Amino acid sequence: MIYLDHAATTIMSTEAMETWIKATQNYFANANSLHEAGEQSSQLLLACRNKLASLVNTTPEQVFFTSGGSESNYLALNSLYQANKHLGNHVITTAIEHPTVHSFFQQMERQGVEVTYLPVDQFGLVSMDSVKKATKEDTILASIQHVNSETGVIQPLKEFGSFFKANNIIFHSDCVQSFGKTPILLPTIGVDAISVSSHKIHGPKGVGAVFFGEQVKWSSVYPLTSHQRGFRPGTLNIPGIAAFTTAAMDMYEYMEDNWAKAKKLREVFLTELKPLEDRLKIEGHPTHQLPWIIGLAIHGVQGQYMLLSLDRFQICISTGSACQSEELDGSSAMHAIYSTEQERLRFFRISFGKNTTLEEIIFVTNKIKEIAHE
């Protein structure tokens, strides 16, 4: 099997798997229990918080664990809104956010909150000008994703962060696709909270995290909850958190090498598809681009047909976000970028992992060319 759907989920690394097994065997106790076994689990949890906090330059007290990126988005946004809703009634997001982010803001609209959905240009980028025009005196919260899961476009968070900070607007970013692949330092880029997920970086499923900046105010959305200072109820998944931490540390240690490898694979992939250039459209931006993700379309070939045809050769790709897999007419990002249903239906996505090889890329591009010529 050739697996090229890492933007949906990654293959768990050997190191993360070994950590998970060891923690399951030796740190099975509830970290809130007062006996020695519980204290040992608590110490492991603290060590994980320390390591993860160091990666984004925040304090361990501002690291909160969740069940994954979707819950991280919802809890981060809801907690921030609850703490700051008395300051205004206007919030900002974009037209290309993850469904969980859009779900939260649609819920806010039903409660009478004014929501502005920022558009994107032909590259999928949000402009600074549109951010400034959307901002009002009573704007209290903004959420702009770092990297789009379908096109790989990187938004200029630092530029947005500086503006929001100057205007006392809380800034959240969905960093599920970027965490572990490019540096994210909260104070440097001016982001107050980010959402991340373990299974996007070769860690286990069912684990995610929210990182808050040191001075950020948030309020619990769960009354009477004592776990994680009220952020999220439930016994913590210590083995999963330990394996997630191992995967994150590994991704950060080899970040530059992984980026260079992904960039090379991307270059080879696009070069091999040159014979199709008259029919080929590559989505994204020339410079603001995560190399791991390639969103593309071939005139005359539906993305679903390409997916099923490649699947016959045990090649796994995607037609977009796995969270929107039942939406045949495309996700919010597809609607923001493409104006017609026909264009949206052509789209498919290739996404690399740290173990993707050059040989696999050449084999896959040959199959894509064969299918396109049929």
Side-chain angles (χ1 to χ4, degrees), residues 37-82:
E39 178 60 22
Q40 289 175 347
S41 293
S42 179
Q43 289 301 312
L44 177 58
L45 178 63
L46 179 59
C48 291
R49 277 203 168 97
N50 279 318
K51 290 179 180 179
L52 291 171
S54 69
L55 299 180
V56 299
N57 197 7
T58 191
T59 62
E61 294 76 21
Q62 297 293 66
V63 177
F64 298 92
F65 296 105
T66 69
S67 64
S70 293
E71 188 183 33
S72 291
N73 279 334
Y74 178 78
L75 286 182
L77 287 167
N78 213 337
S79 300
L80 292 169
Y81 175 75
Q82 294 300 326

Side-chain angles (χ1 to χ4, degrees), residues 126-143:
V126 177
S127 72
M128 188 68 244
D129 185 54
S130 69
V131 171
K132 291 180 178 179
K133 287 181 179 179
T135 302
K136 302 182 178 183
E137 288 186 4
D138 65 338
T139 303
I140 58 170
L141 174 66
S143 181

